[in-house]
Amino acid sequence: MFSKEWVEKLAARWNSDPDMVEPLAKARFNSKIGFGYSEFADPSVVLEVAEGKVVWAGTFDPARHSNLDWDLRANPEQWVKWRQEGLGFMALGVAVSSKQLEFRAGDYRKMIRNPDLAAPFLRVFTLL
C-alpha cells in the first residue's frame, strides 16, 4: 500500500465511481488528502481533488504538499483491515476515538456531519 502505483489505481477507482465523484462535486470539494502510517512524520501518498475528481495522485512531496487539507494515518495492519472490510459509521467513531485512525489535518467532526462528504469519505475505505 501507499506506493505511487497504488495511489494512481486508487485515483482511477475514485474517478470512475459516481458515489464518490457526484456528491463531492455537489459539495464543491477541493482538497489535498494525504494517506500514511502513524509512525512517520509525513504521509506516504497524496490525492489532489478538484470539484470531486482526483486531478493528481502521487507520492508525498514536502514542497508541493506542505499544506494538506486532510492527513489520515493508521498503522499498517489497520489499513489492511479497512482495505479488506471497509469502514462504517460506527466503526469510524471507534477508530477515531481509539486513535486507530488519526486525522493529522482536517476537521473530522465537520466532515462527518455533512452527508455529501461523509458518505464518500467512508467509501474511500472500500476503494483502498
Side-chain angles (χ1 to χ4, degrees):
M1 269 179 101
F2 301 146
S3 66
K4 184 178 187 325
E5 295 77 21
W6 176 86
V7 77
E8 288 172 347
K9 288 178 184 176
L10 173 60
R13 287 190 297 271
W14 175 310
N15 285 343
S16 66
D17 188 335
D19 292 333
M20 288 297 292
V21 174
E22 291 172 10
L24 293 176
K26 179 181 171 189
R28 304 185 68 106
F29 183 77
N30 301 299
S31 287
K32 292 180 184 177
I33 308 165
F35 296 89
Y37 299 117
S38 299
E39 63 197 67
F40 298 115
D42 295 321
S44 301
V45 295
V46 174
L47 295 174
E48 293 182 14
V49 180
E51 300 294 320
K53 291 198 91 166
V54 177
V55 294
W56 185 89
T59 55
F60 176 78
D61 175 0
R64 181 177 182 151
H65 303 116
S66 62
N67 58 341
L68 293 175
D69 300 294
W70 300 91
D71 185 354
L72 308 173
R73 305 299 185 86
N75 68 43
E77 297 80 20
Q78 205 59 54
W79 283 118
V80 169
K81 179 182 176 188
W82 292 328
R83 183 180 190 182
Q84 294 169 346
E85 299 174 9
L87 187 64
F89 277 107
M90 295 294 286
L92 173 63
V94 171
V96 172
S97 65
S98 66
K99 300 197 186 292
Q100 293 173 340
L101 177 61
E102 297 175 58
F103 283 78
R104 294 204 181 161
D107 187 344
Y108 160 76
R109 286 175 183 81
K110 183 178 179 182
M111 176 273 303
I112 206 69
R113 290 181 183 132
N114 181 337
D116 288 333
L117 300 180
F121 174 76
L122 292 174
R123 182 102 179 113
V124 165
F125 291 89
T126 64
L127 299 177
L128 294 175

